[in-house]
Every structure is written in C-alpha cells, then in structure tokens.
Amino acid sequence: MLRARVAFIMVALFAFAIMFRILHIQIKDGQKWKKISAKNAVQYKTIKATRGNIYSDNGSLLATSLPFYKVAIDPTVIEVEIFNQKIDSLSILLANYFKGGTALDYKKRITNARLKNRQYLLLSRKLINYQDKKMMSKWPVFRNGRLKGGAIFQKVDQRFKPFDYLGERTIGYINENNKGAGLEYSFNKLLAGQNGEALFRKMSGGSWKPVFDGNDIKVKHGLDIKTTIDINIQDVAEASLMYHLEQHGADKGCVILMEVKTGEIKAMANLQKLKSGRYGETYNFAVGNQGLTEPGSTIKLASMMALLEEGALSISDSIETGNGIYSFFDNAKPMTDAKDGGYGKLTVREAFEKSSNIGISRLVYDHFMNDPQRFIDYLHQFGLSKPLGFQIIGEGVPRIKTPEDQSWSGISLPWMSIGYELELAPIHTLAFYNAVANDGKLIQPIIVKQALRADRVIENYSSKTIRKKICSDETLKKLRILLEGVVENGTAKNIKHADYKIAGKTGTAQKLKDGKYVKQYYTSFAGYFPAENPKYSCIVVIDNPKGFRRYATDVAAPVFKEIADKIYSLDIQMHDEMDEENNLTPGYFPVIQAGYQADLQFLLNRLGVSNHGSTNQEWVQAKAVQNSIKWKERKIIEGLVPDVYGMTLRDAIYLLENRGMRVRFEGKGRVKSQSIKAGKKAIDGSVIELKLG
C-alpha cells in the first residue's frame, strides 16, 4: 500500500514537472521564440525614398540619383570544386578591374575569409554602375549566382552631376549624417522625401516577398527642385573667373549674376586655390560668413546715396582733394588717393568716377561728423545691415559698427564711407546695386523657383520685396549718372562697350591681417547692364591678386565685361534695332564666308541670292561666283579641332564647345583667327581663343 502511494506521488510529481516545463516554454520563452521566428521568416523592412532631382532654369539636370553597387562576396557558400577551379580567374579579373591589389592579394583575402567562415567580404570601396554589374555577373564563380557563387551586389543610390564641377558648391552635397552645404543641404527636406516601411516574408532561396498587411507606411519620394541657374551663363562665369584667377595668381574669387526685376540668380561661381595649385569650389564665399569682408570703394555708392538723400550737395559741386594725402586728425592714419600727387579740386561727379577716397570721405565727414548715427541709419535704410534671407543656408550677417561700439573712433565715419570698418558678403553688395537698377526696389535674391513632383508644380517661389524704395527717384537719377560715368570716364573705362552701356563701380580694399593693413587687396566690380534699361546686375570679386596689376580696374572689371559681352551676344532682346541707314542696301552682295549650310541657304534664299553646290553637308564654306554663291564642304572631323575661320561666333562656339573646349574671344564680326590650329586633337577643357573682325 505504501509502495503504491509513493509511486502515485512520484507519477504526480513527474506529470507536474512536465506541465510546468510546457507552461514555462509557452509563457516565458514563447516571446523569445516568436521573435526568432519572426526575424527569420517575417520582417519589417525600410523602403528608401528616391531623392529628387535638381534642375537648371531650362530643365537641364544639375543633380540626380543613379544606382551604383558595392561588390562583396560570401565565400562560404561556394562549392569546393568551383572554388578550387575558378578562384584564380576571378582574382585576376578583380585585380584588373579595381586596381586595388594583385590577383594574389584578392585570392588570399577570399581564401582567408572562407577559412574563417566569414559570410561577407567587401572586395573594394569603389562603386560600380549597372553595366559593370551585368558584366561581373558573368565572371567565373560569380556566374553561379548568390547562393552558389557568393556574389553580393548591394545597391547604393549615389548623386550624379551631369555637368561635373559646374556650380559644384552651389549645388552642394548631403552626407550620411544629413550634414552638407548648398542646395542639396538647404532643400534636403524636400529632396529627401520620406522612407516607407513594409512587411516582408522570407522565401526559399533567400529572397524577400512583400506581405500587404494594411500596416505599411507608404514611401514618399523626394520632390524635384527647379533652380534659376542658366547653364550657359554659369559656364561663362566660371570660365572667365577661372582664367583671371589664374592670370593674377589670386587666392579666390566669386561671381554672382542676377536678373534685375525678378531677383533670380542666373550664375553663382566660387573658386579658391587648392593645395594642389588648381582652383576648385570648396566654399560659397559669395554668400557665407567666410565671404564677409571690407568691401572697399563699392560702398561709395551708399555714401553718395546718403549725401544726396540729405540734400547736402549736387553732383556738380566741388571738393578739394589736395595732393592725394589727407589726415582727419593729427595722429590718425592718413587717407590717400590712388593718383600720385593727388587730383586737386574735383566735382562730386569726378570724385566718384575717379574713386577719390579723400573726396568721398571728406564729403561724408563734413556733413555727418556731428551725427554719425544718422549715416549709419541710412545704411540700415538701404538694406545693408541685415541678412537677405537667401534660400541657401549659411548666409553671412553684415557687420556695421555704430558710435556705441567700443571700437568706434573719430576716424570710423570717414573710413566707413569708403568701405572700411564694416563687412558685407558679395550678395549683400549686389542686392544693393540691384535696387538702384530696379528703380529703388530692394528685393530678395532667389535661386530656387519651383518644387515639383514629375511635371506638376507643388510650390512656386518668388522674390520677396524687402524695401519698396530705398531712396527717392531724384537720387536714383543722379546715382545712375555717376555709375555710368565710372565706365564712360572713370576707373572702369577699360570695359566701356560701343554697343551697350555698363553702369557700375570698382572697389579695391587693402586687406586686414593681424590687426594691420597689408599690401594685399580685395578687388571687386559691382554694376548692371544695359545701363539705360537694366536687365542684369552682377558682382565680381577677386581676392588677393598678385603681380603689378592688383586693382579692380584691371582684375575684377574685365571679368564683368566678359560675362556681359557673352550675354549681350546671345540675348537678342538686349539689342537695339538697327538704324534704317545701316540696313543692307539693295544691290549690295551679302558677306557669306562659312557656317551651317541650312542657315546660310535660308538667309540667301530669303535675300534672293542664287546658291548651289554641295547640298548634303552640314558645314560649308562659300565662294562668290559673279552674283551667286557656290558651296564647298568644310570637313568637320570628330575629336579634332575644327576650322572655324569665317564663321559667326555662334557657329564657332557650337562646334568648339561640342568638343569640350572653352572659348574666349575678342572683337566683333566673323572669326579671323583661332589660337589652336585646325586638325589638332581637341583636348577636353582646353581653352581656344578666337579673334573676330
């Protein structure tokens, strides 16, 4: 009986232990195994949003995302026979493609990873494109696929800029930590979109299939943005800036070109000398804090505006500048003029045109010395003291001292009047000059005008009015006379153009280093064109030019003219109608030399001039035979410098730039000579100079 009872108790205890173990597994370990099961069979996976594109004003791609791939291998899944027979061939192909080591190096790395049972080995940090991925998929070992050949191709979206380095800093970048610069960073929220999330089930073979359970988070792909940048003008601005930086050995420089009425930035170029000696875009000096500097004589426009608004003088009044050296106080640093021996007595207009430091500073000091704050108040009124709220993040904050500042002294007012003891970024100076061209209306520059999803506009951006009027119409009228006079008679007369007028002001400021002004210069030219009906405003800055030509007249102003000339030659709306007396006189034979045959034929047919000869060639040269034109083929060979003699500038630029060459020109008319002989190899990025006549 006792034995039966003991046996019963033992059975009961054993049954209880089993039940306890079952409950323990179900309750305590259940969640653990569920998680393991879910991890192995079903997972929520992130679906990455496609980043939006960045476009120029005419729809050309400035930045887009393209699929690239990381190449890795799982050597543990490769069958022994395949590994032994094909690893040498694969290693040779990898070494030849990636150039990151010898075939033996690759073989050792893959073999060691296989011995250590490593399931993932990155073969190179270099990304490959889709075409190369297809090629590699046919290589030995890799051709056996993911499960038997261990080939791993990880897709990585990478930003691609079709125009390479053009506008590089303006377009900018964004890194994995969402830090960056330029448009990519400033408009990242729009461009990036929002990642989605969906449930996926693991299938045989290692692939994953989406499971639609109603809890998916839909992906929102990024929006595209359309900028105001004109690719052609941007290219001209960068090429001209680069050329003059190299010619003068300058440290850095920038160009901004803007439409007067709309505030749309058509070009923004920033170049700095790199350690290699070349120039590249590393920072946006046109806008950012590092671009803040004492502007020099371009600020004299604001000084004259303040004086004219006060009714303190007429531009025909006179000022004595003496022998070119003037001290406001006995122990103060003397003010000097550029001309040795001084200018003597000048009219106010002449003082501005010749950029007399003494003349402008004496006028401002004599009028505002008892109330310098009033002069500062005018600078505030002109919009020079606050950021513009530009669309690119990182705009510098102007620095204008006041009489309350500890650094203010008795000479602060006269020195501020000529561009010292205050700091502006080039974009602030340009906005001010643009206001003068825009009938006194100060507007916010913009560089992005639309956000789009495909072709549908989601949001429009337009320039905001900061001040409806920064000064009176009477003052504006006088200021425009002064600015045109600088180019017609003054410090910038070397950029005077016969066909259209430029209005602007040169600026040359000594640089401050370690608390002392040194013989290094910050040169600039700010202005607008055509002067009589302004369409574009522009500022050019070249910092610390070397050599004997170090003033704005010879350094910054020519860049302005080159850009303006290019725009004028392309923008037919800027051209005046030809006088009737200059029109083609009946009976006179037109000048036809060489060019695109379809255009030339169209012109001659409209003029009623007989033309014949080769009709199946695109490019021809013409020969006058009595009262008709005979066409002769002008051979254009791919990869070689074409013969553009006798062509119009438009045709010559088309042919040369299509071969990757950069064109510089001087003169007007048709091409009379080219610096690189026809028939030589056309080197991408090389400069060819044309003379027209």
Side-chain angles (χ1 to χ4, degrees):
M1 186 72 176
L2 180 61
R3 286 181 179 177
R5 184 176 295 177
V6 169
F8 176 79
I9 292 172
M10 291 296 292
V11 170
L13 289 172
F14 183 72
F16 178 79
I18 292 173
M19 290 297 296
F20 177 81
R21 182 60 181 162
I22 291 171
L23 289 172
H24 178 81
I25 292 172
Q26 285 181 336
I27 296 171
K28 186 172 181 180
D29 293 341
Q31 294 301 318
K32 170 186 173 184
W33 293 109
K34 282 181 181 178
K35 288 179 180 178
I36 292 172
S37 175
K39 183 177 181 181
N40 290 333
V42 179
Q43 281 187 23
Y44 273 102
K45 287 181 172 289
T46 298
I47 303 173
K48 289 204 70 176
T50 301
R51 191 171 181 82
N53 298 326
I54 300 176
Y55 293 100
S56 70
D57 65 344
N58 69 351
S60 298
L61 265 176
L62 297 178
T64 190
S65 294
L66 294 179
F68 288 84
Y69 300 86
K70 290 181 180 179
V71 184
I73 191 171
D74 178 359
T76 64
V77 302
I78 307 171
E79 295 179 1
V80 175
E81 185 178 354
I82 294 174
F83 189 88
N84 291 337
Q85 290 180 358
K86 303 296 183 180
I87 188 62
D88 288 328
S89 300
L90 177 63
S91 299
I92 291 170
L93 289 168
L94 289 170
N96 289 338
Y97 182 88
F98 288 118
K99 312 294 184 185
T102 65
L104 183 60
D105 293 332
Y106 278 100
K107 182 178 179 180
K108 284 182 178 179
R109 287 177 60 202
I110 297 171
T111 302
N112 289 337
R114 181 179 172 87
L115 293 173
K116 293 177 182 179
N117 204 34
R118 286 178 60 186
Q119 295 180 319
Y120 182 90
L121 173 65
L122 184 66
L123 294 172
S124 174
R125 293 187 179 277
K126 180 181 177 181
L127 298 177
I128 66 171
N129 60 31
Y130 178 71
Q131 295 300 323
D132 286 348
K133 172 181 174 289
K134 287 177 63 178
M135 174 187 71
M136 287 186 180
S137 298
K138 298 176 182 178
W139 284 1
V141 182
F142 281 179
R143 69 168 63 104
N144 294 287
R146 170 71 177 85
L147 296 180
K148 293 183 178 180
I152 301 173
F153 297 104
Q154 289 179 283
K155 184 181 175 185
V156 177
D157 281 337
Q158 192 173 65
R159 274 321 233 187
F160 172 69
K161 298 174 183 177
F163 291 95
D164 205 7
Y165 297 110
L166 196 68
E168 183 178 19
R169 187 66 184 194
T170 302
I171 297 169
Y173 66 93
I174 189 83
N175 62 22
E176 294 177 354
N177 300 317
N178 286 328
K179 300 294 182 183
L183 294 170
E184 293 276 22
Y185 178 61
S186 302
F187 286 83
N188 184 46
K189 190 173 181 181
L190 288 180
L191 291 165
Q194 293 180 8
N195 291 338
E197 192 176 78
L199 191 64
F200 283 77
R201 184 182 301 280
K202 193 172 186 179
M203 308 299 291
S204 60
S207 62
W208 292 84
K209 179 182 178 181
V211 178
F212 302 102
D213 67 345
N215 294 318
D216 296 353
I217 300 173
K218 290 186 177 180
V219 64
K220 292 183 180 178
H221 296 300
L223 297 177
D224 300 330
I225 60 173
K226 189 173 185 179
T227 71
T228 61
I229 296 294
D230 183 308
I231 284 296
N232 292 322
I233 298 176
Q234 178 73 28
D235 186 40
V236 171
E238 286 194 20
S240 182
L241 180 64
M242 176 79 77
Y243 175 78
H244 287 272
L245 287 172
E246 291 173 342
Q247 288 292 104
H248 299 285
D251 291 346
K252 58 179 178 282
C254 68
V255 172
I256 318 173
L257 186 129
M258 181 166 72
E259 275 189 353
V260 169
K261 299 298 181 185
T262 65
E264 292 186 2
I265 300 291
K266 291 300 172 185
M268 182 179 286
N270 293 273
L271 294 171
Q272 181 181 23
K273 184 178 282 188
L274 308 177
K275 289 182 179 179
S276 63
R278 294 176 171 270
Y279 288 90
E281 288 203 319
T282 58
Y283 186 81
N284 194 335
F285 297 99
V287 175
N289 272 309
Q290 292 183 37
L292 288 170
T293 191
E294 294 174 319
S297 293
T298 52
I299 205 67
K300 289 174 182 175
L301 180 65
S303 297
M304 290 304 306
M305 187 180 286
L307 289 165
L308 291 170
E309 282 292 273
E310 283 282 280
L313 77 168
S314 166
I315 61 174
S316 60
D317 290 344
S318 299
I319 182 71
E320 181 58 60
T321 66
N323 63 356
I325 303 174
Y326 185 87
S327 295
F328 287 90
F329 298 97
D330 289 341
N331 296 323
K333 178 184 176 181
M335 185 85 68
T336 60
D337 275 336
K339 182 183 177 183
D340 291 337
Y343 295 109
K345 192 173 185 179
L346 296 172
T347 64
V348 171
R349 178 173 178 172
E350 289 172 333
F352 188 84
E353 291 175 352
K354 298 178 184 298
S355 199
S356 169
N357 292 330
I358 295 171
I360 302 300
S361 62
R362 283 200 63 189
L363 288 168
V364 170
Y365 184 75
D366 291 347
H367 187 78
F368 292 103
M369 63 179 175
N370 294 324
D371 188 6
Q373 183 59 47
R374 186 163 177 79
F375 179 76
I376 305 301
D377 290 342
Y378 271 117
L379 298 184
H380 290 302
Q381 178 183 313
F382 303 155
L384 289 167
S385 60
K386 292 182 179 179
L388 298 162
F390 191 51
Q391 291 170 310
I392 292 181
I393 293 172
E395 179 188 352
V397 179
R399 299 167 187 163
I400 297 178
K401 66 170 62 177
T402 68
E404 277 108 37
D405 292 337
Q406 289 185 347
S407 60
W408 186 273
S409 69
I411 61 170
S412 291
L413 178 63
W415 283 95
M416 285 181 72
S417 72
I418 62 168
Y420 293 91
E421 298 199 28
L422 76 162
E423 293 183 342
L424 301 174
I427 198 167
H428 303 137
T429 303
L430 177 61
F432 173 61
Y433 273 74
N434 191 80
V436 174
N438 197 25
D439 299 323
K441 185 179 181 181
L442 179 66
I443 57 177
Q444 179 189 63
I446 64 167
I447 198 166
V448 173
K449 58 183 177 181
Q450 287 180 333
L452 310 101
R453 189 176 300 284
D455 293 330
R456 184 165 61 93
V457 177
I458 304 300
E459 189 169 357
N460 284 306
Y461 304 95
S462 58
S463 181
K464 297 176 182 177
T465 300
I466 299 173
R467 290 187 181 273
K468 291 183 178 179
K469 206 79 169 174
I470 61 172
C471 66
S472 67
D473 289 335
E474 186 62 29
T475 294
L476 283 173
K477 183 178 178 181
K478 294 174 182 176
L479 291 174
R480 287 179 176 173
I481 292 172
L482 295 178
L483 290 170
E484 289 179 38
V486 170
V487 180
E488 294 294 315
N489 314 302
T491 55
K493 61 185 177 183
N494 59 312
I495 66 168
K496 180 178 177 180
H497 197 285
D499 294 328
Y500 69 97
K501 282 189 176 183
I502 295 172
K505 181 74 185 73
T506 53
T508 303
Q510 276 189 266
K511 293 176 67 68
L512 185 67
K513 286 200 172 183
D514 301 324
K516 294 182 179 180
Y517 286 99
V518 296
K519 291 292 183 181
Q520 294 181 8
Y521 299 96
Y522 174 90
T523 71
S524 61
F525 185 89
Y528 52 85
F529 63 95
E532 58 275 13
N533 185 24
K535 186 170 183 179
Y536 298 101
S537 59
C538 181
I539 186 168
V540 176
V541 169
I542 293 185
D543 195 356
N544 193 22
K546 314 299 191 301
F548 66 93
R549 294 185 301 165
R550 293 187 291 171
Y551 295 96
T553 301
D554 301 311
V555 180
V559 180
F560 185 104
K561 183 178 184 296
E562 285 181 14
I563 297 169
D565 282 352
K566 176 73 171 184
I567 294 172
Y568 178 79
S569 68
L570 296 175
D571 191 342
I572 194 68
Q573 294 180 353
M574 292 173 61
H575 295 206
D576 293 330
E577 289 187 14
M578 187 180 292
D579 295 334
E580 188 174 342
E581 62 186 37
N582 290 328
N583 288 334
L584 185 65
T585 304
Y588 279 77
F589 201 71
V591 177
I592 302 292
Q593 293 183 12
Y596 188 61
Q597 181 170 282
D599 289 346
L600 298 178
Q601 280 185 318
F602 175 79
L603 174 63
L604 292 178
N605 291 338
R606 289 294 298 270
L607 294 173
V609 177
S610 174
N611 58 95
H612 52 88
S614 176
T615 57
N616 59 350
Q617 300 298 327
E618 283 190 333
W619 300 94
V620 293
Q621 58 192 62
K623 181 180 180 181
V625 180
Q626 296 180 346
N627 291 325
S628 67
I629 291 292
K630 182 178 180 181
W631 303 119
K632 183 180 178 182
E633 180 186 358
R634 174 70 66 88
K635 288 187 178 180
I636 305 297
I637 301 174
E638 190 67 31
L640 301 182
V641 177
D643 178 6
V644 295
Y645 177 83
M647 292 187 182
T648 62
L649 180 62
R650 185 187 70 170
D651 285 346
I653 288 176
Y654 174 82
L655 284 171
L656 294 167
E657 289 190 348
N658 271 345
R659 281 152 181 77
M661 305 181 76
R662 293 179 177 271
V663 180
R664 304 192 191 286
F665 65 92
E666 62 178 45
K668 293 187 297 181
R670 293 177 176 270
V671 178
K672 291 297 182 185
S673 67
Q674 57 190 83
S675 60
I676 301 177
K677 190 176 179 181
K680 289 194 173 184
K681 183 179 179 181
I683 301 173
D684 190 38
S686 61
V687 176
I688 183 168
E689 296 181 354
L690 306 179
K691 290 187 178 180
L692 312 178

